[in-house]
């Protein structure tokens, strides 16, 4: 974890005190709701259907035990005892009172947390690989760069009133766990032949009403030039991005209108003028790197006899190991994914008690490190193989040991019409329906990797465009209908899904997913995932099966 | 005379504004005036020859580069914020200061609220026509709210990484 | 038939208008059979910017013997989220809550008179 110094702490304290004053001005009537809305949104405070919602930033999805316990405490004190982890790796509290919001920001600041830029037309929370620092795949620790971007983007004087929101993802692994290609900017770290570090810069990806996979505008940006290059991209966007139509204001529309090549040319021209003066000095990059509290790994054998024996004796643990335990860069260690997708529960929700359990486990077994994934799950990135059985047992006792990572029941869903003021239809009950339908874990494992992503409106917070099966809620003559799309992916093989056919009523969705799965099981060749089969066969067999008998 | 706040020597001060803003469809007034870029391109030469001070108002879509050669004889550049949320003028301000080396007054006009104070000051704006009735004291407080900043900008303030290096 | 609703400024709670007061339960809302009185009440409500946010009239339909908001979205506001029946106004139960839970038909977009974009 990056350890905040006095400057970082004072910055958060100043922000909290500013917001307290602004809330005071609103409550006293000194400023109107319209004026206040822009202010509260810059602090992640929305008005939803039932109450205010506070979106707490979890920078690049990294938390320590103390921070997780604070979130649990806030959930108990100011909310209804739970929180919702989002696809931006943030945490939303859904039942917040405006009058409490300043106190909550103070509480957050006390553990180096905040809600800055979790909303509004600014640079949002940066997403980084949740396996950062733990996977052998990476060429560098992307958190260093994510933290540099957190600082650079915080209250940026020039880029706080952009045409629209702006999302950046950074990964240093070829296997993309950040959805980099569907971000406004996706940064993929690479090492050049001479050993120098750099970024492939991908711009103009995005979801929403007009989904795009981003285009590479620079194959290799020397890592130390990151900030100046970002300034150039943002400046071209700030000047030329559309502001006349909210649905055409994201950078993807500008990139598509100009063409990636021309956009890239404009960025390079601007970058040449900006020069290296805006870049972070190497000393600061080194400081950030060293401010990540070092992880002390023991020298262990690659194989843990205790773990192997426990797996042999416990089927549930063996299943958990197959699906939720991933290889670590250090022998004898593992990355443990904690699914927040228990069958029948709300995807991404965690109770305060569950948060405390995770905090305890991180402290006791996981080097005090917790990550949030954009797929709404949690990660304990550094667990000794010897300790996995104990971690599994504790998770099981807390109801968060579902062994379903990347399986059909590991569904992303936005809060939808149950909470959100923008939604057209509910998303959570559809996820619950599908999960119930695939409750049989053997079957789910047989089906293998299948990413279902559900959004309750076209804004696509549930990433439906990049679901292997995407589900979009629509309002059709007053009723909730769901449009299915197939073949999307948010990973390194990113693609936007194709709409399968006419939208279906809510009660037919789980059954339609079942039909799609049956087609896949029938058509698949050895080793093919659902996505691979779909890409090989095309939509026809799937479409035929789902709409057979429809007139 | 409309309220104007000027940022000088680290302080915010309420001042009298000697300039009259002239819309494109209005007749010319005597004295110091602020006119649109279009009007400046048509009438600027003549007005300057009359010995008056002339300011140019730039809309967000108008590029500061269009003024580059005229900057030495312009008394002020008024950057329009038609809406609070329209952030293009922040870039304009930085380019005026950092790329064009403009030393004259850069004024924010339009929907100018004290919430923007720090952003504006950091981008090099040094005069403000607030739309929320806020006072010079309130602007000063708002512009000094944060003890630390994280980026280099036009104001020369030391960013956190420089403070840390000290 | 219409009712007048808003969210309360201090806590965001869904509230309904009744004779100049704001009440938390839809069951206690004043019902407007005529357009005139409803709009008058809306005018009064809009003059309370430090009490409520963006008050608006909603359309109602008959649900059994009772009235319910026409739109699904408004019924959710009057009840609470369907994924957590232990949260929100629905916890209290009673005839009106039950009627709302069983009301059917109608759009989010048709029930909100003078629809305002909201975030």
């Amino acid at each position: 974890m990056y350890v905040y110094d006095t400057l970082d702490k004072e910055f958060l304290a100043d922000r909290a005190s500013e917001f307290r004053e602004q809330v005071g001005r609103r409550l006293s009537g000194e400023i109107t709701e319209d004026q206040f809305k822009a202010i509260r949104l810059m602090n992640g405070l929305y008005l939803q259907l039932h109450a205010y919602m506070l979106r707490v930033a979890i920078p690049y999805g990294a938390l320590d035990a103390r921070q997780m316990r604070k979130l649990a405490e806030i959930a108990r004190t100011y909310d209804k005892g739970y929180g919702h982890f989002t696809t931006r790796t943030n945490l939303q509290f859904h039942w917040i009172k405006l009058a409490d919001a300043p106190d909550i920001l103070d509480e957050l600041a006390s553990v180096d947390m905040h809600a800055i830029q979790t909303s509004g037309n600014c640079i949002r929370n940066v997403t980084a690989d949740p396996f950062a620092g733990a996977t052998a795949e990476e060429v560098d620790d992307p958190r260093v760069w994510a933290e540099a971007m957190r600082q650079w983007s915080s209250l940026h004087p020039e880029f706080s009133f952009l045409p629209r929101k702006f999302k950046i993802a950074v990964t240093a692994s070829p296997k993309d766990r950040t959805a980099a290609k569907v971000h406004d900017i996706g940064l993929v770290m690479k090492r050049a032949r001479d050993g120098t570090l750099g970024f492939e810069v991908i711009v103009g990806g995005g979801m929403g009403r007009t989904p795009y996979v981003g285009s590479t505008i620079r194959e290799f940006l020397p890592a130390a030039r990151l900030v100046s290059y970002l300034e150039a991209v943002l400046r071209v966007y700030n000047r030329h991005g559309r502001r006349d139509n909210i649905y055409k204001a994201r950078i993807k529309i500008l990139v598509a209108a100009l063409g990636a090549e021309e956009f890239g040319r404009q960025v390079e021209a601007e970058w040449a003028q900006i020069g290296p003066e805006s870049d972070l000095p190497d000393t600061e990059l080194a400081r950030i790197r060293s401010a990540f509290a070092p992880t002390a790994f023991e020298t262990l054998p690659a194989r843990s006899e205790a773990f192997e024996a426990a797996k042999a004796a416990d089927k549930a643990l063996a299943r958990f190991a197959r699906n939720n335990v991933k290889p670590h860069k250090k022998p004898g260690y593992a990355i443990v994914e904690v699914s927040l997708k228990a069958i029948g529960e709300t995807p991404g929700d965690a109770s305060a008690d569950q948060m405390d359990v995770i905090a305890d486990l991180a402290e006791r077994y996981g080097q005090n490190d917790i990550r949030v994934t954009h797929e709404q799950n949690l990660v304990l990135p550094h667990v000794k193989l010897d300790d996995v059985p104990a971690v599994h047992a504790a998770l099981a006792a807390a109801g968060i040991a579902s062994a379903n990572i990347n399986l059909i029941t590991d569904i992303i869903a936005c809060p939808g019409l149950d909470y959100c003021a923008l939604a057209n239809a509910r998303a959570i009950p559809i996820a619950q329906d599908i999960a119930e339908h695939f409750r049989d874990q053997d079957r789910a494992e047989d089906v293998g990797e299948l990413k279902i992503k559900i959004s309750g409106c076209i804004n696509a917070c549930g990433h439906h465009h990049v679901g292997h099966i995407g589900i979009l809620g629509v309002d059709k003559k007053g009723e909730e209908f769901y449009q299915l799309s197939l073949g999307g992916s948010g990973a390194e093989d990113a693609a936007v899904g194709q709409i399968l056919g006419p939208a279906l009523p809510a009660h037919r969705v789980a059954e339609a997913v079942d039909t799609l799965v049956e087609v896949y099981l029938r058509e698949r060749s050895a080793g093919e995932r659902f996505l691979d089969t779909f890409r090989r066969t095309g939509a026809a067999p799937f479409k035929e099966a789902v709409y057979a008998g429809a007139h | 005379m409309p309220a104007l706040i000027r940022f000088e020597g680290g302080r915010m001060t309420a001042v009298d504004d000697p300039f009259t803003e002239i819309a494109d469809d209005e007749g010319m007034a005597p004295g110091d005036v602020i006119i649109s870029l279009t009007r400046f391109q048509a009438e600027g030469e003549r007005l300057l020859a009359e010995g008056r001070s002339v300011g140019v108002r730039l809309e967000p879509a108008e590029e500061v580069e269009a003024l580059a050669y005229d900057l030495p004889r312009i008394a002020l550049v008024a950057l329009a914020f038609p809406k609070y949320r329209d952030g293009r003028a922040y870039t304009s301000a930085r380019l005026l200061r950092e790329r064009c080396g403009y030393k004259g007054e850069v004024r924010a006009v339009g929907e100018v609220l004290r919430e923007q104070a720090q952003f504006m000051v950091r981008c090099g704006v040094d005069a403000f026509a607030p739309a929320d009735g806020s006072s010079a004291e309130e602007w000063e407080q708002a512009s000094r709210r944060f003890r630390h900043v994280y980026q280099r900008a036009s104001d020369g303030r030391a960013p956190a990484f420089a403070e840390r290096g000290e | 038939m219409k009712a007048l609703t808003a969210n309360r400024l201090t806590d965001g709670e869904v509230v309904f208008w009744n004779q100049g007061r704001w009440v938390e339960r839809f069951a206690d809302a004043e019902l407007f059979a005529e357009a005139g009185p409803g709009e008058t009440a809306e005018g009064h409500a809009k003059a309370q910017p430090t009490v409520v946010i963006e008050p608006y009239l909603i359309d109602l339909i008959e649900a059994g013997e009772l009235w319910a908001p026409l739109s699904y979205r408004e019924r959710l506001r009057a009840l609470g989220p369907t994924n957590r029946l232990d949260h929100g106004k629905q916890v209290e139960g009673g005839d009106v809550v039950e009627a709302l839970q069983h009301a059917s038909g109608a759009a989010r977009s048709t029930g909100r008179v003078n629809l305002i974009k909201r975030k």
Side-chain angles (χ1 to χ4, degrees):
Chain A
M1 286 291 299
Y2 173 81
V3 180
Y4 278 42
D5 69 1
T6 315
L7 277 74
D8 294 311
K9 286 175 188 288
E10 287 179 350
F11 183 82
L12 296 189
D14 291 345
R15 177 57 147 188
S17 83
E18 177 185 43
F19 191 59
R20 182 176 293 279
E21 194 182 290
Q22 289 165 335
V23 169
R25 282 160 62 204
R26 173 66 184 101
L27 291 173
S28 73
E30 204 185 309
I31 47 176
T32 66
E33 180 58 21
D34 205 43
Q35 290 168 331
F36 182 63
K37 182 150 77 177
I39 293 167
R40 68 171 156 78
L41 285 176
M42 292 188 81
N43 283 283
L45 191 66
Y46 287 73
L47 180 62
Q48 298 269 38
L49 293 188
H50 315 292
Y52 289 93
M53 177 269 277
L54 180 68
R55 188 181 289 154
V56 177
I58 301 176
Y60 39 95
L63 288 167
D64 62 18
R66 172 190 62 130
Q67 292 173 323
M68 188 65 111
R69 286 200 187 98
K70 180 59 80 175
L71 293 174
E73 183 194 323
I74 290 171
R76 284 192 191 96
T77 313
Y78 300 101
D79 201 281
K80 294 183 186 290
Y82 77 106
H84 176 76
F85 288 97
T86 75
T87 52
R88 274 227 75 63
T89 77
N90 291 318
L91 181 88
Q92 293 182 180
F93 291 117
H94 282 143
W95 298 90
I96 293 300
K97 297 178 167 70
L98 174 62
D100 288 338
D103 290 342
I104 299 173
L105 289 194
D106 284 346
E107 294 275 0
L108 289 170
S110 75
V111 294
D112 307 336
M113 294 186 80
H114 60 84
I116 298 169
Q117 288 167 218
T118 55
S119 175
N121 295 334
C122 51
I123 302 164
R124 301 285 189 92
N125 186 19
V126 173
T127 302
D129 187 351
F131 291 3
T135 175
E137 297 163 11
E138 67 192 12
V139 299
D140 189 26
D141 190 333
R143 291 174 302 168
V144 172
W145 305 96
E147 172 59 25
M149 288 190 277
R150 177 194 74 81
Q151 297 188 25
W152 160 76
S153 64
S154 290
L155 301 191
H156 195 292
E158 186 179 347
F159 306 131
S160 289
F161 301 91
L162 295 167
R164 199 77 181 85
K165 57 189 167 184
F166 202 91
K167 301 176 178 178
I168 302 176
V170 57
T171 180
S173 293
K175 176 130 183 66
D176 180 11
R177 286 167 287 261
T178 67
K181 290 185 177 174
V182 287
H183 274 74
D184 295 287
I185 295 181
L187 299 167
V188 181
M189 286 206 93
K190 302 199 159 155
R191 208 174 265 289
R193 284 213 185 118
D194 65 0
T196 52
L197 276 174
F199 298 96
E200 177 185 349
V201 182
I202 301 163
V203 296
M207 293 186 261
R209 195 164 291 228
T210 327
Y212 283 107
V213 172
S215 308
T216 299
I217 59 165
R218 197 166 228 279
E219 290 289 348
F220 190 84
L221 172 74
R225 300 297 314 277
L226 178 64
V227 167
S228 61
Y229 199 83
L230 292 175
E231 295 240 325
V233 174
L234 267 297
R235 184 169 283 171
V236 171
Y237 171 55
N238 192 40
R239 294 186 91 179
H240 304 301
R242 285 181 62 172
R243 289 175 188 264
D244 58 330
N245 180 339
I246 185 174
Y247 298 114
K248 297 190 171 172
R250 294 287 287 269
I251 196 173
K252 62 192 174 185
I253 304 292
L254 178 64
V255 173
L258 291 174
E261 203 174 316
E262 170 58 18
F263 180 80
R265 196 197 58 72
Q266 293 189 14
V267 169
E268 294 284 327
E270 180 59 39
W271 187 48
Q273 298 225 51
I274 290 174
E277 225 173 89
S278 311
D279 286 311
L280 284 181
D282 289 346
T283 48
E284 175 66 4
L285 287 168
R287 187 198 67 84
I288 292 174
R289 199 175 283 277
S290 66
F292 278 93
T295 317
F297 295 110
E298 294 172 36
T299 306
L300 297 171
R303 182 183 156 93
S304 157
E305 297 306 332
F307 181 42
E308 295 304 323
K311 276 194 291 185
D314 180 352
K315 276 189 177 170
L317 175 62
R319 194 188 294 279
F320 182 79
R322 279 198 300 278
N323 294 296
N324 295 38
V325 178
K326 307 291 157 67
H328 195 278
K329 63 181 179 185
K330 293 289 178 193
Y333 285 85
I335 299 169
V336 174
E337 293 205 65
V338 179
S339 166
L340 298 179
K341 314 295 176 65
I343 309 284
E345 297 295 329
T346 301
D349 275 13
S351 70
D353 292 349
Q354 289 169 337
M355 292 182 213
D356 281 340
V357 168
I358 300 275
D360 292 347
L361 291 174
E363 222 162 40
R364 182 149 178 213
Y365 302 111
Q367 310 248 16
N368 196 21
D369 202 341
I370 303 160
R371 309 290 170 77
V372 185
T373 77
H374 83 272
E375 295 182 321
Q376 300 179 287
N377 293 315
L378 301 176
V379 174
L380 296 169
H382 314 292
V383 178
K384 278 188 216 168
L385 285 174
D386 289 348
D387 294 332
V388 173
V391 168
H392 175 254
L395 292 173
I400 41 177
S402 298
N404 61 353
I405 296 294
N406 289 336
L407 300 182
I408 192 166
T409 51
D410 182 7
I411 300 170
I412 290 186
C414 71
L417 188 54
D418 280 306
Y419 299 89
C420 177
L422 301 173
N424 286 318
R426 289 174 297 162
I428 295 165
I430 299 296
Q432 290 170 322
D433 246 21
I434 297 170
E436 286 287 357
H437 204 92
F438 288 87
R439 174 178 276 285
D440 177 349
Q441 292 188 301
D442 290 329
R443 184 166 180 233
E445 274 192 82
D446 179 36
V447 173
E449 181 184 308
L450 207 173
K451 302 197 174 197
I452 298 181
K453 308 190 181 199
I454 310 174
S455 306
C457 80
I458 194 64
N459 291 312
C461 296
H463 294 187
H464 66 277
H465 294 300
V466 295
H468 298 175
I469 298 176
I471 301 175
L472 167 65
V474 294
D475 172 352
K476 209 169 169 184
K477 292 182 189 146
E479 289 192 54
E480 295 170 299
F481 269 68
Y482 296 87
Q483 195 173 66
L484 270 51
S485 56
L486 299 188
S489 170
E492 60 283 355
D493 58 351
V496 173
Q498 303 168 27
I499 293 170
L500 189 68
L504 303 169
H507 69 272
R508 282 209 52 210
V509 176
E511 165 196 324
V513 169
D514 193 84
T515 304
L516 293 170
V517 166
E518 288 303 322
V519 173
Y520 156 66
L521 293 175
R522 188 185 75 211
E523 299 283 334
R524 74 175 164 187
S525 308
E528 272 186 347
R529 301 171 298 164
F530 178 92
L531 181 62
D532 305 320
T533 302
F534 174 81
R535 285 177 173 174
R536 179 171 53 76
T537 65
F542 294 94
K543 187 167 181 169
E544 201 172 295
V546 168
Y547 294 99
H551 301 287
Chain B
M1 207 163 280
L4 189 70
I5 296 170
R6 192 168 283 143
F7 183 65
E8 267 171 328
R11 301 301 305 263
M12 294 280 179
T13 323
V15 295
D16 288 337
D17 180 13
F19 285 84
T20 311
E21 257 205 79
I22 312 285
D24 278 357
D25 54 4
E26 279 179 311
M28 190 50 63
D32 301 342
V33 289
I34 300 173
I35 53 180
S36 71
L37 177 63
T38 323
R39 195 153 180 178
F40 177 76
Q41 284 163 344
E43 299 173 39
E45 210 63 55
R46 178 174 60 75
L47 294 170
L48 287 164
E50 290 171 13
R52 14 167 152 207
S53 289
V54 178
V56 178
R57 175 185 165 102
L58 274 189
E59 297 303 322
E62 292 171 339
E63 305 201 339
V64 291
E65 287 85 344
L67 267 182
Y69 295 106
D70 292 309
L71 285 174
R73 46 194 202 144
I74 292 174
L76 69 88
V77 179
L79 297 175
F81 289 79
K83 281 184 193 151
Y84 175 88
R85 295 181 187 85
D86 189 334
R88 286 174 286 186
Y90 294 101
T91 294
S92 302
R94 282 194 75 178
L95 292 177
L96 279 170
R97 296 296 189 206
E98 294 171 48
R99 196 155 294 167
C100 307
Y102 183 61
K103 300 274 192 277
E105 176 179 320
V106 176
R107 177 184 293 195
V109 299
E111 195 176 3
V112 175
L113 311 179
R114 87 180 84 155
E115 263 61 43
Q116 299 150 292
Q118 173 159 325
F119 299 120
M120 288 180 169
V121 166
R122 297 223 62 213
C123 288
V125 180
D126 60 357
F128 315 88
D132 60 356
S134 46
S135 66
E137 291 70 35
E138 286 163 335
W139 270 76
E140 184 158 320
Q141 200 191 11
S143 68
R144 288 180 170 192
R145 164 77 64 185
F146 287 86
R147 285 168 279 179
H148 310 287
V149 295
Y150 282 115
Q151 315 79 6
R152 280 203 198 290
S154 307
D155 57 349
R157 229 178 126 173
F161 59 80
E163 279 191 79
R164 286 167 175 143
E166 277 163 15
Chain C
M1 198 66 80
K2 289 187 197 306
L4 178 59
T5 185
N7 288 77
R8 196 158 55 204
L9 174 67
T10 52
D11 56 5
E13 180 76 33
V14 173
V15 288
F16 301 93
W17 177 271
N18 187 337
Q19 313 274 345
R21 293 179 309 123
W22 291 102
V23 294
E24 292 187 13
R25 299 188 312 172
F26 175 72
D28 299 332
E30 181 176 354
L31 306 181
F32 299 101
E34 308 286 331
E39 283 161 21
T40 307
E42 190 184 12
H44 289 310
K46 284 193 166 153
Q48 305 183 354
T50 56
V51 181
V52 291
I53 305 168
E54 292 178 352
Y56 57 95
L57 290 162
I58 55 171
D59 286 321
L60 308 182
I61 47 165
E62 282 177 82
E65 306 281 287
L66 298 161
W67 290 94
L70 168 68
S71 85
Y72 196 75
R73 170 205 169 93
E74 290 306 327
R75 294 204 291 274
L76 283 181
R77 286 182 73 246
L79 287 169
T82 63
N83 66 317
R84 290 299 298 256
L85 299 179
D86 56 335
H87 291 167
K89 300 175 189 296
Q90 59 202 348
V91 176
E92 259 190 52
D95 292 354
V96 175
V97 162
E98 221 165 277
L100 290 181
Q101 283 169 332
H102 294 106
S104 63
R108 151 189 198 251
S109 41
T110 55
R112 193 146 185 223
V113 185
N114 305 326
L115 186 77
I116 328 149
K117 197 176 159 292
R118 163 103 166 278
K119 216 176 185 184

